[in-house]
Amino acid sequence: MGRYLVRRLAHAGLVVIGVTLVAFFLTRMTGDPVRLLAPLDATEEEVELLRTQLGFNRPLYVQFLEYMRGVLVLDFGESLRHGEPAMRLVLERMPATLQLSLAALLLALAVAIPIGVVSATRRGGLLDGLGTLLALLGQSMPVYWLGILLIIVFGVQLRWLPAGGRAGWTSYILPAVTLAAYTCASIMRLLRSSLLNVLSQDFIRTARAKGLGERRVIYRHALRNALLPVVTVVGLQMGSLLSGSVITETIFAWPGVGRFVVQAIFNRDFYVVQAAVFLFALIIVAINLVTDLVYALLDPQIRYA
């Protein structure tokens, strides 16, 4: 296990470096930020002076090497718009994004696991059909369409829930439902198919032949084995929730990193975008590592060579 952790941490470091490299060069392809920062009546000489002051007149590889030197000491530069450390601005908004993503994940698990179990144990029945229909709807509805629909119905017409912002626990409901829809559908369908496969195996028939109750067979023996592929999807979906929060936060005016990064992209605030991408990459790599370690808890037979 120790060798495995060292190897995975080394791979994680390479992934984060690669993501940082790609983010740096892609942001530079979006355009010249100096034109947005300079006054409309600025002369070419004033624009060039501002470009020199910000360091954008140097070759691209020189800018990248200086940026990487700063990253090594956790200095991600200052926001071109706000004049404050970019990473600090991102970290100030990260709790709102993490809370929304965690709420969406818990909601997805709370809905998907019971429905997935019922669909598998009552295959071909009415509940199985309803569960399959919900899963198809959840995977086919675009996030932006679902979010706007929920705002129109529950925020504007019925006025039951806030249509945007972050003020109180009720403001979490609509964005969490929007963000959780696809994840819930994916987990539901995977758990159903995985549980159906486990229920047809020999050890389940043996457990039933020994006289164990059906509930104990399902929840004590079958579900634990069926959760292994679900753990993989949950780990991947957590990364998807963090990245998908960009659209959801924009729709619901949620004061998180996603909405802040969208604004930074339009403003060509390179350092903010790079700091956010670096932090997201770090979180997703850590989630994937934890996901692999959870395998050992669910199945003691798994060993990492």
Side-chain angles (χ1 to χ4, degrees), residues 244-297:
S245 64
V246 173
I247 299 175
T248 306
E249 289 180 2
T250 303
I251 294 173
F252 290 94
W254 191 264
V257 177
R259 181 165 173 253
F260 187 57
V261 169
V262 170
Q263 296 171 348
I265 292 173
F266 284 116
N267 293 329
R268 295 174 189 166
D269 200 342
F270 295 160
Y271 297 114
V272 168
V273 177
Q274 291 164 191
V277 170
F278 178 88
L279 189 59
F280 276 134
L282 207 60
I283 293 174
I284 292 173
V285 165
I287 291 173
N288 290 337
L289 178 60
V290 172
T291 300
D292 289 343
L293 297 179
V294 170
Y295 285 163
L297 298 177

Side-chain angles (χ1 to χ4, degrees), residues 224-225 227-229 231 293-302:
R224 181 170 182 175
N225 290 275
L227 283 176
L228 283 174
V231 169
L293 297 179
V294 170
Y295 285 163
L297 298 177
L298 292 175
D299 189 353
Q301 294 180 349
I302 295 178

Side-chain angles (χ1 to χ4, degrees), residues 159-218:
R159 297 185 180 181
W160 289 354
L161 297 168
R166 179 172 174 244
W169 66 271
T170 55
S171 61
Y172 282 79
I173 297 176
L174 294 184
V177 170
T178 302
L179 197 57
Y182 184 86
T183 300
C184 179
S186 300
I187 295 174
M188 190 190 309
R189 295 188 66 183
L190 179 62
L191 179 59
R192 178 185 180 275
S193 61
S194 177
L195 191 55
L196 284 173
N197 180 57
V198 172
L199 288 173
S200 64
Q201 294 183 11
D202 292 338
F203 76 94
I204 296 297
R205 286 193 289 267
T206 301
R208 286 170 173 163
K210 290 169 60 178
L212 296 180
E214 188 65 16
R215 182 179 294 272
R216 186 175 181 184
V217 170
I218 293 172

Side-chain angles (χ1 to χ4, degrees), residues 89-113:
L89 292 173
V90 172
L91 289 175
E92 287 175 353
R93 292 159 177 81
M94 183 56 73
T97 297
L98 291 177
Q99 290 169 9
L100 178 59
S101 299
L102 183 59
L105 181 61
L106 293 177
L107 177 62
L109 291 174
V111 174
I113 291 179

